[in-house]
Each structure stands twice: as structure tokens, then as C-alpha cells.
Amino acid sequence: MVTIKPLERRNPQDVNAENKYYAKAISQGVIDFERLAYLVSNQCTVRESDCYAVLRALEHNIMDELKQGKIVQLGGLGNLQVGVTSKGEINAEEVSANTVKKAHLNFRPGAKLRDMLTVVKFKTISE
């Protein structure tokens, strides 16, 4: 179950408009590689240490492939790809590595992950 709480926000397009409350998802903690390795090892015949090693290798290889400009497909989870934000230039010839302001990751969830969002249950907490 995902916990939400009300969060007051103003309208950036109309600073004179009355503030409204919006739902904000609240994290219920963090799960690290060690815990993931433990959980996976309990669902199959592979040892926890082997699962951990595979997850670390996966992490390393994902970063290497992204650095090479590739899209990393993670099966039903989705795809990862590097994206950039840059300065606008008048002519195409002026666009270069120097116009890139920063890089970021784009994640496009797979169908199963997107479908999971349609069945998520929510509970509200007050501040």
C-alpha cells in the first residue's frame, strides 16, 4: 500500500490564485542490494551471495552500456537511456558537446510495471 499525504502548493502560472492541496506519495523506506539479493535467493535455488554478485555485475554493465549511448532494456521492467538538456542554438552546426548543460536518465517502464500502477492501493496520513 502506498501512503500519501496532502501537500499545499501554489499555482506557478497564477501566483495570486489560492493555494491548493495535492496528494504526495510518502516513501516507506529503502530496499538495498543486500535485501534484494536476500529476497531473490529465498525465491530460487541461488545463494544470497550469488544474487548479490549478479546484481552488482548488472549495475556495472548497465552503467557501461549507458556510457556508450545504448538503450538498456531490462525486460519487463522497462528501458533506461541517457538524455540531455542543452542550450538552444540558431543553427544546427552550432550544436556540440559544449551546448549540453547536463545529462539525465530516462526510464520508460515496461507494460507489466505500468499495469502495476493501476492496482496500487493508497492510504492517507495527516501531517
Side-chain angles (χ1 to χ4, degrees):
M1 186 167 299
V2 175
T3 303
I4 59 171
K5 75 175 188 179
L7 181 66
E8 186 175 11
R9 289 214 163 129
R10 64 183 166 110
N11 183 344
Q13 295 175 340
D14 183 2
V15 292
N16 297 321
E18 197 171 316
N19 288 357
K20 292 184 179 180
Y21 288 88
Y22 297 89
K24 177 175 174 42
I26 305 301
S27 168
Q28 297 301 305
V30 176
I31 185 166
D32 60 15
F33 266 12
E34 289 82 7
R35 178 71 177 152
L36 279 173
Y38 172 78
L39 292 171
V40 170
S41 71
N42 282 321
Q43 296 171 347
C44 62
T45 60
V46 180
R47 292 185 176 162
E48 183 179 344
S49 58
D50 296 328
C51 291
Y52 183 79
V54 168
L55 290 172
R56 282 289 173 211
L58 179 65
E59 175 187 40
H60 173 78
N61 286 295
I62 286 172
M63 289 189 291
D64 279 353
E65 297 301 321
L66 288 171
K67 286 178 193 174
Q68 295 176 38
K70 295 180 182 175
I71 296 172
V72 177
Q73 295 181 326
L74 298 170
L77 286 176
N79 300 334
L80 286 169
Q81 181 177 11
V82 173
V84 296
T85 56
S86 69
K87 296 188 305 186
E89 299 293 349
I90 294 172
N91 299 312
E93 298 82 26
E94 296 174 20
V95 175
S96 70
N98 294 330
T99 61
V100 174
K101 292 181 183 178
K102 66 178 182 175
H104 59 270
L105 284 177
N106 292 326
F107 175 70
R108 289 181 300 282
K112 285 184 179 182
L113 203 55
R114 278 193 317 272
D115 292 346
M116 175 273 307
L117 294 173
T118 63
V119 297
V120 171
K121 305 271 190 248
F122 300 96
K123 76 175 179 183
T124 306
I125 61 168
S126 58
E127 290 194 61

